[in-house]
Amino acid sequence: MKTDEQPLSPPVVGMSTGAVAQRLGVAAGTLRSWERRYAIGPAVHIAGTHRRWMPQDIARLEEMCRLTAQGVPPAEAARAAWAKAARTFEEGTEEDAPATGGRTPGGPAALPLGPVRAECRGLARAAVRLDGDAVEALLDRAIEDHGCVAAWEEIIAPALHAAGRKWASAGERYIEVEHLLSWLVSSTLRRRYEPRLPTRDGVRPIVLACAPEELHSLPLEALWAALVERGLPVKMFGPAFPAEALVEAVRRVGPSLVVVWAQARPAAATELVGAVEGVRWGVRGARSRSTLLMAGPGWSSVPQAGSRLLTGLRSGLALIEQRLAD
């Protein structure tokens, strides 16, 4: 039977520039810049559509990312990526090659991530390259798309843990990766959440502090951001907060809850718990006590922690909400 209908156009395949940038851990603007400067963009342009990156295009980008992570100048890395693509084409293997081939772009320099979200893998790659602009862009997008809790638990924390494992297994190498990533996570959380004002009425402030001598405050900063995101009033006192100062802060603030973070078991943990729980605040005749919660693995062996131990961001928030309701 004859028909006057025109055949349907083949579906557009490939990945968008934004999706490729997220996958590889580079800013979308960087991909566009590479395309303009080094002709490393998509080999095929489909009229009337956005750029669509095919597997062979992504393979070239992976090679360029791997080389720039090793310190190769972008122009030289682009030439090498095109040369490798040409050799692959001559061998007849490029057309059928998958986008990633099940491997981690970056070779031995890549962080040991395991099964994680694509956004986490992209964040780790940007951190290894010490590409601060890309790291900030990926952090902003993760928080915007998923919220503070999911972004922390599924994207940020796995990348930080992988950076720590890489550093531990490579001597003093990769410490710069962990430090850059930690700093940018901290600065991003503050930039995004400090301007927000608490909106929940009738709740006394929540005090957050690290145990004395505890310098690792980033998980506590994530808790701070998640509480601010929920409209709760929070006062953050940061790392290595002396016990005497914490007691004085509790007396002056009169918080509903006090959360003390510890990566390692605090020195004089029992005395610290007793000192905070012993503080009474308010006017004479109607004084109150704050509820103390312990966060972090350092408290796991402290008997007083018990049901007051926060073991993760999501579950910790649930416990905090429960205590506030009580």
Side-chain angles (χ1 to χ4, degrees):
M1 180 184 300
K2 293 184 178 180
T3 177
D4 294 332
E5 293 182 0
Q6 297 294 322
L8 295 175
S9 300
V12 176
V13 294
M15 296 177 65
S16 68
T17 298
V20 173
Q22 180 173 296
R23 184 171 190 165
L24 298 181
V26 298
T30 298
L31 295 185
R32 299 186 187 99
S33 175
W34 285 354
E35 182 178 4
R36 291 194 306 269
R37 296 181 181 183
Y38 314 119
I40 200 75
V44 177
H45 293 171
I46 302 174
T49 69
H50 295 292
R51 296 284 195 269
R52 308 300 295 187
W53 298 78
M54 305 304 174
Q56 59 269 31
D57 303 322
I58 299 173
R60 285 193 296 275
L61 287 177
E62 289 176 349
E63 179 66 9
M64 184 157 181
C65 288
R66 184 184 71 83
L67 293 171
T68 54
Q70 296 175 354
V72 178
E76 184 179 340
R79 287 193 296 270
W82 271 110
K84 182 175 181 179
R87 291 194 301 272
T88 305
F89 179 79
E90 290 172 359
E91 295 168 0
T93 59
E94 181 183 37
E95 188 171 3
D96 297 325
T100 62
R103 58 188 171 82
T104 302
L111 300 183
L113 290 167
V116 293
R117 300 179 66 110
E119 297 99 319
C120 176
R121 202 167 296 281
L123 179 63
R125 291 169 185 158
V128 168
R129 293 197 311 275
L130 303 182
D131 188 343
D133 291 341
V135 168
E136 284 193 296
L138 292 166
L139 290 171
D140 275 322
R141 181 169 179 176
I143 294 172
E144 188 69 30
D145 290 349
H146 305 292
C148 180
V149 176
W152 173 262
E153 291 193 335
E154 301 175 22
I155 300 171
I156 299 171
L160 286 165
H161 294 158
R165 290 194 299 271
K166 190 74 171 181
W167 171 27
S169 64
E172 291 301 315
R173 296 182 59 212
Y174 295 94
I175 188 173
E176 70 281 3
V177 175
E178 184 183 40
H179 278 227
L180 177 71
L181 182 56
S182 298
W183 170 253
L184 291 177
V185 169
S186 178
S187 60
T188 298
L189 291 175
R190 294 188 190 186
R191 172 169 49 80
R192 292 189 65 92
Y193 290 104
E194 274 187 341
R196 302 191 184 187
L197 296 176
T199 58
R200 196 180 304 188
D201 296 327
V203 178
R204 296 197 63 81
I206 300 170
V207 163
L208 305 181
C210 288
E213 302 180 4
E214 177 57 69
L215 298 174
H216 297 86
S217 63
L218 202 51
L220 194 65
E221 294 176 43
L223 176 60
W224 166 82
L227 291 170
V228 173
E229 190 176 64
R230 283 157 176 74
L232 290 167
V234 189
K235 291 190 181 294
M236 163 69 91
F237 289 95
F241 200 51
E244 298 80 4
L246 179 58
V247 167
E248 182 62 22
V250 171
R251 180 177 293 110
R252 294 173 61 184
V253 172
S256 55
L257 300 172
V258 179
V259 181
V260 180
W261 163 266
Q263 179 72 28
R265 182 185 171 100
T270 301
E271 290 79 357
L272 176 62
V273 172
V276 175
E277 290 186 328
V279 178
R280 294 176 63 86
W281 49 265
V283 297
R284 292 184 181 276
R287 294 196 171 187
S288 301
R289 281 193 175 94
S290 305
T291 297
L292 175 64
L293 301 177
M294 289 80 115
W299 292 104
S300 58
S301 61
V302 178
Q304 291 92 335
S307 61
R308 297 181 295 172
L309 179 62
L310 280 60
T311 56
L313 183 55
R314 191 181 302 274
S315 60
L317 287 169
L319 180 57
I320 287 173
E321 292 281 11
Q322 176 187 332
R323 291 305 179 101
L324 289 176
D326 294 342

